[in-house]
Amino acid sequence: MRVIPVPSALGGLYAEVARGPEALFSAGFLDACPDAIREAPVPPPAGPRLPALGLLCRSLARRVAQTLISGALPLVVGGDHAIAAGTWRGVGSALGHPPGLVWLDAHLDAHTPESTPSGNPHGMPLAALLGQGGPELAEVPGPALDPRHVCIVGARSFEASELALLRRLGVRIFGMAEIRRRGLGEVFAEALAIAAEGGREFGLSIDLDVIDPAEAPGVETPARGGLAAGELLPLLAGLGRLPACRAIELAEYHPGHDHDGRTAAIALALVGALFGKAAEV
Ligand SMILES: [Mn+2]
């Protein structure tokens, strides 16, 4: 497994999010995943934000594709979540078709440059991966995702335009209300079945803000009413070792908001669980 650091804050508000990979490494991230090999970072280029982000996503997509073609599993560590617009195009390029994807997030990340109230591109990567939005993010080389095999788990903070777009495309959204009604175990199993239907290769994109901010305050855009780390960890156990799992992404760690390191500890526990180490927080 190859850890690909992407020290980028181009998609969000806080420059400090670019320190996320280094801060996680200092907290012991690489020791949490057995067999991890740390690669050179994919650095964000200078220049106006959206074009720079477009270039970054193209570089990241190439790196991810090369990693998969070499036979290794990419674990992409952000940085803000806008980098997902590169990661999953790269996975699709290497496979020759789009992977299924489970998107764990408090938000829908399905804005376009036309619909966004904040203007921040970290609210756009899922729309871009589905081919929606401007050319910088939505036209990164590689296949667009197939919305029938994409689902979001943990959503609770979003705009109506995002919901309308994803519903029109047919993306399944498992919001917190449904999770509380049915239980995360049942919902997560259904999400995996959608992403991996018929033996399809799949991946996980984990925005740390899916965890409730009482437990994981060290994120860029906290939203109350999220998952407990303790309910998610057992469901991730060993997923990263499944042959059909072709990439994992972890994003939005904000070291400056993580005053006592508790969010980093959860990030380490998440990757530890994914790669088969005992899940503990
Ligand atoms: Mn996100």
Side-chain angles (χ1 to χ4, degrees):
M1 183 248 297
R2 305 280 172 149
V3 178
I4 303 175
V6 190
S8 167
L10 286 170
L13 275 178
Y14 301 103
E16 202 174 349
V17 170
R19 287 206 305 111
E22 275 305 323
L24 289 172
F25 295 151
S26 297
F29 189 85
L30 294 165
D31 298 328
C33 355
D35 316 321
I37 296 172
R38 176 178 174 177
E39 289 204 348
V42 181
R49 179 157 86 158
L50 212 47
L53 196 49
L55 292 172
L56 175 67
C57 286
R58 284 161 174 77
S59 302
L60 176 57
R62 285 194 296 273
R63 179 80 76 83
V64 165
Q66 287 162 3
T67 302
L68 276 167
I69 289 164
S70 79
L73 178 82
L75 169 54
V76 175
V77 180
D80 72 68
H81 210 179
I83 60 173
T87 299
W88 302 101
R89 295 279 184 170
V91 174
S93 292
L95 297 175
H97 53 263
L101 187 59
V102 178
W103 190 278
L104 288 150
D105 205 312
H107 310 94
L108 297 180
D109 292 358
H111 273 298
T112 64
E114 290 70 42
S115 76
T116 172
S118 73
N120 290 321
H122 71 157
M124 305 177 190
L126 187 54
L129 287 166
L130 291 160
Q132 309 291 312
E136 294 91 347
L137 295 188
E139 294 176 14
V140 176
L145 294 176
D146 178 343
R148 292 170 299 180
H149 298 290
V150 177
C151 49
I152 302 175
V153 175
R156 55 193 182 273
S157 174
F158 45 80
E159 272 80 44
S161 59
E162 297 178 280
L163 187 62
L165 173 65
L166 293 177
R167 283 199 171 145
R168 177 168 66 77
L169 294 172
V171 172
R172 180 73 162 90
I173 300 165
F174 297 98
M176 286 307 302
E178 181 172 355
I179 290 169
R180 289 296 165 241
R181 190 171 67 247
R182 298 175 59 198
L184 182 62
E186 185 179 311
V187 162
F188 196 72
E190 188 179 341
L192 280 177
I194 289 169
E197 191 183 345
R200 156 180 298 257
E201 299 96 338
F202 72 95
L204 298 179
S205 185
I206 305 173
D207 188 318
L208 280 169
D209 69 29
V210 75
I211 305 294
D212 192 88
E215 278 189 275
V219 296
E220 164 135 16
T221 315
R224 289 162 60 170
L227 301 181
E231 63 182 336
L232 180 60
L233 285 169
L235 302 174
L236 300 181
L239 271 187
R241 297 207 177 277
L242 293 179
C245 179
R246 304 312 296 270
I248 290 172
E249 177 172 65
L250 187 69
E252 296 278 318
Y253 179 55
H254 187 321
H257 286 176
D258 196 20
H259 303 298
D260 55 5
R262 65 171 80 174
T263 313
I266 288 174
L268 268 56
L270 292 174
V271 294
L274 284 164
F275 294 99
K277 213 167 164 180
E280 267 181 63
V281 181

